[in-house]
Amino acid sequence: TGLLVELGDDTDALGRVLDGVHLEMAPVSVAAQDQVAAARALLATWDAAAVASTDRRGCLGLDPLGVLARGGAGPDVAPAIEVAVGALAAAPHCRPLLADGSVFHDAGATPAQELGWTTVVGVEYVRALVAAGVDPSQALGAVEFRWSADDDQFGTIAKLRAARLLWSRVAVLAGAGGGGAQRQHADSSRAMLTRYDPWVNALRSTIACFAAGVGGAGSVTVRPHDELDVTGGSPLGRRLARNTQSILLMESGLDKVADLAGGSWYVESLTDELADRAWARVQAVEADGGIERALRAGTIQELIDESVAARRERLATRDRPLTGVTEFPDPDEQRAASPDRRAVDVDTAGEVGVRPLLPRRLSDDAEARRARADAHAIASGRRPTVFLAALGSEAESTPRVTFARNLLAVGGVDAVTGGIEEYDPSVSSVVCLCSSDGRY
């Protein structure tokens, strides 16, 4: 029921893209490298279509601090605030500013880190608006928050609920009382997408979309399951992504109940725990001089590196499984020739000196290992192979044979099973003995 338009360099194309759209009905949000130009283009499009100011809804996508964090250099905050102040009069129901938590999530931040740092970004924008003469209550409502939703169902639900608690606390401290309800846009996680067995991405995105709806997001973007192979996703991928939301809304009625998870002891306690940890990060960054200073000092980057290292350990030991990659992989799937189309827009304008928060997917390491085996298979005509020597009876050997075969498949390695007397050194130089503890 709304549009998110991603623009390239040609912001003038927005009018053509929206030709025929009922702009008085459909909220429109824009994303672009030149955010100020894109915001002005949307305002001009509304003007040209004579859309009443009260019918202009969506988000102008002004997030200069997000550009700085993601690209390593960024535009000055002042021009974005100037456009935002003008937009508050021209489109009072449109949110001009964006605090994008996916910048931190995509780089590997934990949910508490994403919550805390994104909240600080929102606080920075509110301060700038108030300094420009905007009322605190109006300034609080001028920021839209974008949160990443992933396949951790309860974690996503709790994160969105905790985000509203944090912003309510900010409103109280800003003297706005009960004002400033947080407007949330949930974006299905890029970090959880896998290149191998991409159909599983559709299942992950369904969980993410469900969790975002239950968590109370006002709008949700579901990414196509094959977005890593086809820029923007294939027609089928886009259709499945759209229908995921339609089915959850129209057939499951997720929008018919306010706070579906409210009252659950687990969700409530997880929400409070996340909010407490995130608020500690808000206080730490504020005490250190703000988010921009923390980015320029490298503090944020170092903390994310620590989080990524801990995550890699869990992934490497399969404590955190990835279906289709580290669990239940398809051994016959070859992806070495498929490009990884992760787009990273690095803005070279402005002052350079911030290490950019580049996207890091959960499956990066595992898929790199798997791609090496695929490349070997393409070059040599056969996969790396291990001989599984089944010792003893079938009942003794089968559990370990099954485990070893699945584990080797994670790395794209074939397994040949037989009795020890069947071992052929020309097939494999590696033997794995599979049996019971007593047989060993």
Side-chain angles (χ1 to χ4, degrees):
T1 57
L3 293 171
L4 172 60
V5 184
E6 296 182 347
L7 294 167
D9 296 330
D10 184 13
T11 54
D12 293 335
L14 186 62
R16 299 193 300 273
V17 170
L18 296 178
D19 184 33
V21 175
H22 291 277
L23 296 176
E24 75 282 0
M25 298 172 61
V28 178
S29 300
V30 289
Q33 287 178 291
D34 190 342
Q35 296 177 344
V36 170
R40 287 174 173 157
L42 180 54
L43 291 169
T45 301
W46 278 328
D47 287 340
V51 178
S53 62
T54 54
D55 289 334
R56 301 178 180 189
R57 300 176 184 274
C59 180
L60 299 185
L62 295 167
D63 183 21
L65 292 174
V67 173
L68 173 67
R70 196 187 290 276
D76 186 10
V77 174
I81 297 300
E82 181 182 350
V83 173
V85 171
L88 290 174
H93 298 305
C94 173
R95 291 157 304 281
L97 291 160
L98 172 68
D100 189 357
S102 70
V103 174
F104 304 109
H105 171 89
D106 290 350
T110 66
Q113 289 172 337
E114 179 189 353
L115 281 168
W117 297 332
T118 309
T119 299
V120 174
V121 171
V123 169
E124 298 270 8
Y125 293 152
V126 169
R127 281 202 185 104
L129 288 173
V130 171
V134 178
D135 178 77
S137 295
Q138 188 179 18
L140 286 160
V143 183
E144 176 168 292
F145 284 79
R146 183 172 297 163
W147 304 106
S148 285
D150 60 20
D151 55 352
D152 180 354
Q153 176 178 295
F154 287 107
T156 296
I157 294 170
K159 181 166 70 176
L160 294 174
R161 299 174 87 252
R164 294 194 293 274
L165 289 180
L166 293 170
W167 202 235
S168 295
R169 178 64 176 156
V170 169
V172 170
L173 294 176
Q182 184 177 103
R183 172 69 183 187
Q184 297 179 330
H185 171 198
D187 192 3
S188 65
S189 168
R190 297 175 181 86
M192 73 177 178
L193 295 179
T194 64
R195 292 176 58 225
Y196 283 89
D197 205 350
W199 294 104
V200 183
N201 290 331
L203 304 180
R204 296 185 183 98
S205 295
T206 300
I207 296 172
C209 184
F210 172 83
V214 172
S219 56
V220 181
T221 298
V222 177
R223 300 195 163 271
H225 69 280
D226 52 6
E227 184 180 71
L228 296 179
D229 289 326
V230 182
T231 303
S234 67
L236 175 62
R238 294 196 298 273
R239 182 184 178 193
L240 286 174
R242 290 192 301 270
N243 284 345
T244 298
Q245 299 185 64
S246 298
I247 290 171
L248 288 172
L249 283 170
M250 299 177 185
E251 297 188 16
S252 300
L254 288 189
D255 59 333
K256 299 297 189 291
V257 180
D259 197 5
L260 274 164
S264 160
W265 180 88
Y266 175 65
V267 173
E268 297 285 5
S269 60
L270 184 58
T271 298
D272 290 341
E273 179 186 342
L274 260 180
D276 287 342
R277 296 208 311 267
W279 190 251
R281 284 157 178 78
V282 171
Q283 292 176 312
V285 173
E286 286 282 281
D288 198 35
I291 194 74
E292 183 172 351
R293 181 172 178 178
L295 286 167
R296 294 194 181 280
T299 307
I300 300 292
Q301 294 87 333
E302 290 172 3
L303 290 171
I304 290 180
D305 287 344
E306 293 174 6
S307 300
V308 170
R311 186 179 78 180
R312 291 178 71 180
E313 176 68 19
R314 292 186 62 209
L315 290 163
T317 57
R318 296 200 294 176
D319 181 46
R320 202 298 190 190
L322 289 174
T323 304
V325 179
T326 64
E327 297 287 348
F328 311 111
D330 178 2
D332 297 323
E333 184 181 13
Q334 289 189 352
R335 306 281 292 184
S338 299
D340 188 341
R341 297 181 182 272
R342 286 174 295 156
V344 180
D345 297 324
V346 178
D347 184 358
T348 57
E351 181 185 348
V352 181
V354 173
R355 176 156 68 94
L357 299 180
L358 299 180
R360 290 185 275 196
R361 290 185 295 112
L362 278 73
S363 60
D364 276 341
D365 292 342
E367 290 186 338
R369 288 191 292 270
R370 178 71 180 272
R372 287 177 59 197
D374 288 350
H376 175 82
I378 293 171
S380 66
R382 58 179 295 183
R383 284 188 170 278
T385 304
V386 170
F387 182 79
L388 303 182
L391 307 182
S393 67
E394 187 173 345
E396 287 180 293
S397 63
T398 296
R400 259 64 183 263
V401 165
T402 301
F403 173 83
R405 184 183 298 278
N406 288 333
L407 181 60
L408 292 167
V410 170
V413 179
D414 273 348
V416 176
T417 306
I420 192 70
E421 68 281 356
E422 300 175 51
Y423 170 59
D424 181 357
S426 66
V427 174
S428 173
S429 61
V430 180
V431 178
C432 176
L433 304 180
C434 300
S435 190
S436 65
D437 290 350
R439 181 68 64 176
Y440 290 148

